[in-house]
Structure formats: structure tokens, C-alpha cells
Amino acid sequence: MAQATRPTTKLPARAEKATGRILPGATGQRQFLNIVLIAFSILLILAPLPLGANRMWSASLVSVWLNLLLVLLLVGWMLQPRLVENPFTPTLRLTVGLLALVIGWIIIQSSWLVPTDWQHPLWQEAERLLRNQGLIKDEALKGAIVLDPSATSFYTVRLLGYIASFWLALLLAQDGRRAHLLLGVIIVTGLLYAAYGYYIQFTGSNKVLWFDKRSYVDNMTSTFFNRNSYAAYAGLGLLSATAYVFQRWRRVWREGSRHFFWRDVLSALAGREIYWLLLPVIFFAALVLSASRAGFASCMAGMAVLIIGLAINKNMPLLRLFGIVAALAVFGLGGLFIGGNMLVERLNANMVSEDLDMRVGVYKLTWEAIKANPWFGYGLGNFDTAFRLYRDSSVIGWFQEAHNEYLEMMMDLGIPAAMLWFLGMALLAWRCVYGMVTRKKDGIFPVLALAALTQEGLHSILDFSLQVPAVAVTFAAILGMGVAQSRSSRSAN
């Protein structure tokens, strides 16, 4: 007996066009998302150009650009709920809550309405001196927890830009195609700035754009003044390029090639696929030429996490993993000793000990400042101002940053708020671990995010690369892509 079929009715062209405005994947929605993606990509491309966007005007422009884009995307999502998938997993909801608490605390720190007992004593001292000079009479000087409210306002704007970069990547990269496009933008942008760095390095012009280099004359810094900042940026490029090459060679890692793995590798090397290996090589050489010890070491740790994570994600046999790690180690050490003379010299035990002793001295004084005000902190972006109250003759030179992001965060925000921030980052890392274990298609993205977290997390122990906007927005974009691809569209539905 023939089974009855349900009749279908084709919508008229006009009705189909109207319906397409609210259906997922409609032309208008795709165009809107593509516009946001292009604008976001332009920002990622241009951010490193003005000295890593590490000036007040450029950092502010980056933050305003990103926040306007995020507002635009959120308004579009509010008007068309099917524009993007709802990304709020329980882990992400908790992370947002923690982040909201931290931002709220930063606002409270800057407020004139806090109790007098919460305010830093320097405000009362300043009021006393002004009264003695006759500059104020009856009115009271408004104080706050922070020492420099204008610095807190500026750094809050920068922080909101980094958060916006994460959310833009998270919302856009839920679609695998857009995630791959963003990854391509990050890699190509890194190659362009590496090419500029090579040009400056080998022509001997000793300039950053049209400015003469004041320091790191013999090191590759591209459009950054600081070699450590460029090393962090190049390291993110190296991790991204390695993940991309792995994805291109995914047929080599497939389960069916278990017994013919090295044959497949040699076949790929013999063909045109070998040219794609130049991508990580270019970034690796740039990283070595930067001669940044912390940048190089942290990136190699990130590379180890990347390779191990990809092996777990693809169920790679242990022997195959050891072979890949050995091959990469031989290549890395060979490249280091062929072209990394400056980096090798800076790895000298005496030089490392001398620099470490100086930084440890700063860390001790920073910890003394934290202990003096552990609950309230001194205000976001106030390290330079507050550290002057505690530094002594043992500190040589100007330390605008603590060269340890964790200590500086605790000093700026206070220990409780800093711990909330660290917990939020740990939750995002856990989400990427979950994606590494459960995702197969596009599993490179949560693994890449974990590798980037490892690199920047370790680099932040000895430096302040995440305070450079170009590095921070790129890192935030990679992290957002990883969290977005940590779950499949099936689980979202």
C-alpha cells in the first residue's frame, strides 16, 4: 500500500523573500554578518600598524571601533534572534557574571561616592595640603579608591575593547566558515608585519615606521617598539599558522592512514603542500630574530600544548606524536643555532640571572604594595603612580609596568577582584579543554585557544604583552574563536 505523502506548497517569490528576513542563513543576515566580519578583520589588520596601537589615540580608537561593532552586532541580534546562535553555556554565563563583577568593582574604585575609609589616604593628605595653601576652604576634596581616576578611565576603555574583541570573535566564529576566515586574517596579517620586520632587519634602517629605534636596535620588532611585544604577536601568528597547516594536512592524520602515516607525510612534502610549511617557518624565524627570551620560551610552551592538544583531538597514536615532536624539536633547535645568535647569547646564565634579580626586586616591592592594600587595590592602570610610593634605591630605571600581569592585576584591582578575573579566564580555558576532547570538526580552534592561553599566560609572568592593544585584541579574537567552536551546532540546537 502506497504511503500517503504530505503535499508541499511553494511560497510565492515575494512571501519567500519576506520570510527569508527572519530565517537562519537569509541573504540579508549573511550580508550583515559579513559587513561586521569585514570591519572586525580590518581592525585586526590595522591594529599593529601604529606601534602596536600602544598610544593613547590609537588604543582609544581600537577600543571605540570594537565596541561600536559589538553594539551593532548585538542590536542586529536583538532585532533578529536567529542572526547568530545563543552561545551562553553554563560556563560562559558564569564567566560573564564574574566579568560583570570585576567591571562593576572598577567603576566603584573610580567613584567619588565610596566611604572615606575606603579612599586612599593620599586624598586626605592632598586635601590637608590644599587647605593649608588656601586653595580650598569649606568644600571637601572628593576622593576615591584609585589614585589617578583618569588613568583608570583610559585603561577601562582599553579593557572593554579587548572584551569586545573576544565577543565579536565568539559570535561570528560560531559559523565554521567565518572562523576559518578570521584565522586566515590573523595569519595573513602576521605575515605582512613579519615581512616588514624582515625588511627593516636586513636593510639596517633601524626604524619603526618613520621613527628611529631608541632601543632593541639589533632585534626584529616590526611595527612595535618593544621586542617582547612583537615576540608575543609573532608567537600568536606561529601558533595560528601551525594549526592551519595541521588542518590542511588533516587527511594525513585520518584514522585510515594509521599504518601509512610517514608515507603520507613524505607524499605531502613531495607535492605542493610543502609550501604551506613556509608559514610557520616565517613566524618562527621572526620570533627568533626578536631575541625575546620570555617570548620564545612561552611560545614554545604554547606550541607543545598545541601539538599535544591536536594529538588528543585527533586520537593520534603515541608513537606518531613522539615522531612529530622530535621532528619539530630538531627543526627548532637547528633554526635557533643557525640564525638565533642574539637569542642564544641572551640565554646566557649570567645575563638571565642579572635580569631576573632586577625583576624579582620589583616583584617584592609590588607584593609589599599589595599587602598594604589587599582588598581595595589602587585602581586599574595605576601601577606607575602607586609603585612610586614603594620603590626604593634598589630599583634602577623606570618601571611603568610590574612586568608580571598577575601581580599588577592584584595591585590594581585588589586580590578579591583579581581572583575573580583569573577564575573567569580559567573557566574559558576549561571550556576549550572540553572542546578539545569532544570536537572533531574544527577542533583546531579550541586547541589553538588553549595554546594561545598557555603562551600569554606564561609570558605574563615576566612581561606585559597583553597591555599592548594589538597583541591583546588578537589574543582575545583567538580565544573567542576557540570558545565559539568548543561546541557543535547540534549541541547548541
Side-chain angles (χ1 to χ4, degrees):
M1 181 176 178
Q3 184 178 1
T5 59
R6 185 175 180 178
T8 59
T9 304
K10 182 175 177 62
L11 291 172
R14 183 177 300 176
E16 186 175 2
K17 181 177 180 181
T19 308
R21 295 175 184 170
I22 61 172
L23 289 178
T27 302
Q29 294 182 21
R30 286 199 301 268
Q31 290 176 347
F32 176 79
L33 290 174
N34 288 339
I35 290 172
V36 176
L37 177 63
I38 291 171
F40 185 36
S41 299
I42 292 173
L43 185 281
L44 293 175
I45 293 169
L46 294 180
L49 182 59
L51 310 177
N54 199 25
R55 296 296 182 269
M56 182 175 289
W57 70 269
S58 53
S60 301
L61 180 60
V62 165
S63 184
V64 170
W65 187 328
L66 288 169
N67 280 284
L68 286 177
L69 274 182
L70 181 59
V71 169
L72 177 64
L73 182 55
L74 292 178
V75 169
W77 187 19
M78 183 174 61
L79 296 176
Q80 297 287 350
R82 297 184 181 181
L83 182 67
V84 294
E85 295 174 358
N86 187 346
F88 287 100
T89 62
T91 302
L92 194 56
R93 290 192 188 98
L94 180 55
T95 304
V96 171
L98 295 173
L99 178 63
L101 289 174
V102 173
I103 298 298
W105 173 244
I106 293 173
I107 295 173
I108 291 174
Q109 282 183 308
S110 305
S111 173
W112 310 114
L113 303 177
V114 297
T116 304
D117 292 341
W118 290 19
Q119 298 174 9
H120 195 279
L122 277 183
W123 288 103
Q124 284 74 46
E125 182 67 18
E127 181 179 0
R128 184 184 67 80
L129 292 174
L130 290 173
R131 288 191 186 281
N132 291 339
Q133 296 296 324
L135 297 177
I136 59 173
K137 296 181 180 179
D138 297 331
E139 67 276 12
L141 180 65
K142 294 181 179 180
I145 294 174
V146 304
L147 291 173
D148 185 356
S150 62
T152 298
S153 299
F154 173 60
Y155 276 86
T156 302
V157 170
R158 292 173 69 157
L159 179 62
L160 291 175
Y162 307 155
I163 295 171
S165 179
F166 168 81
W167 277 103
L168 283 167
L170 172 62
L171 294 173
L172 292 170
Q174 291 182 97
D175 179 85
R177 292 167 298 180
R178 287 194 292 270
H180 282 281
L181 283 173
L182 273 178
L183 180 60
V185 167
I186 291 172
I187 294 172
V188 172
T189 301
L191 289 174
L192 291 175
Y193 288 104
Y196 174 77
Y198 284 124
Y199 171 78
I200 295 298
Q201 188 75 8
F202 293 116
T203 58
S205 63
N206 291 326
K207 287 184 177 293
V208 177
L209 301 180
W210 52 87
F211 302 102
D212 292 328
K213 274 192 175 184
R214 298 189 296 266
S215 55
Y216 311 124
V217 174
D218 296 325
N219 306 136
M220 182 167 166
T221 63
S222 187
T223 55
F224 299 75
F225 268 131
N226 191 301
R227 65 183 167 203
N228 299 301
S229 301
Y230 177 66
Y233 184 76
L236 293 175
L238 173 58
L239 296 176
S240 301
T242 304
Y244 175 74
V245 170
F246 190 98
Q247 180 74 0
R248 279 196 64 89
W249 284 26
R250 59 187 179 275
R251 65 180 179 274
V252 176
W253 326 112
R254 70 184 186 273
E255 188 69 18
S257 296
R258 181 182 298 274
H259 304 294
F260 306 100
F261 170 69
W262 295 110
R263 185 203 65 183
D264 290 348
V265 170
L266 293 175
S267 298
L269 291 174
R272 294 183 179 180
E273 288 296 320
I274 191 174
Y275 295 117
W276 293 104
L277 285 178
L278 291 176
L279 295 179
V281 170
I282 291 171
F283 283 112
F284 180 81
L287 178 64
V288 169
L289 290 174
S290 72
S292 170
R293 294 168 300 196
F296 180 81
S298 61
C299 183
M300 293 302 101
M303 181 65 73
V305 170
L306 180 69
I307 299 302
I308 295 173
L310 290 172
I312 294 173
N313 181 257
K314 303 302 179 185
N315 296 319
M316 189 182 297
L318 192 60
L319 184 60
R320 184 184 303 179
L321 172 62
F322 285 154
I324 293 174
V325 171
L328 289 175
V330 170
F331 167 78
L333 290 174
L336 183 62
F337 285 102
I338 291 174
N341 294 333
M342 287 183 291
L343 179 58
V344 172
E345 289 176 2
R346 296 194 69 241
L347 290 172
N348 178 276
N350 293 331
M351 186 175 293
V352 171
S353 176
E354 181 180 345
D355 290 348
L356 191 59
D357 288 343
M358 179 178 63
R359 297 194 185 202
V360 168
V362 174
Y363 299 160
K364 290 179 179 178
L365 293 173
T366 303
W367 183 245
E368 292 300 320
I370 293 170
K371 290 194 297 183
N373 193 8
W375 301 106
F376 299 112
Y378 299 87
L380 186 65
N382 276 245
F383 175 82
D384 182 30
T385 303
F387 186 66
R388 298 177 188 181
L389 304 175
Y390 296 92
R391 64 175 296 160
D392 55 27
S393 58
S394 65
V395 179
I396 301 174
W398 178 34
F399 276 80
Q400 188 176 4
E401 294 85 9
H403 289 260
N404 183 303
E405 297 279 6
Y406 305 100
L407 287 176
E408 186 167 341
M409 186 72 77
M410 287 189 284
M411 183 171 171
D412 283 355
L413 301 182
I415 293 177
M419 290 300 139
L420 292 179
W421 180 269
F422 299 151
L423 178 58
M425 296 301 294
L427 288 174
L428 294 179
W430 172 251
R431 185 68 209 179
C432 292
V433 170
Y434 175 81
M436 175 188 70
V437 175
T438 60
R439 287 283 279 158
K440 296 306 174 187
K441 180 182 179 182
D442 293 330
I444 64 167
F445 291 102
V447 176
L448 173 59
L450 272 177
L453 271 166
T454 302
Q455 175 191 311
E456 294 304 326
L458 292 176
H459 200 180
S460 295
I461 297 175
L462 295 170
D463 227 305
F464 52 92
S465 60
L466 285 179
Q467 295 189 38
V468 178
V471 177
V473 297
T474 303
F475 166 72
I478 293 174
L479 183 58
M481 291 157 53
V483 174
Q485 287 295 322
S486 65
R487 66 171 184 168
S488 66
S489 58
R490 290 182 180 179
S491 64
N493 293 331

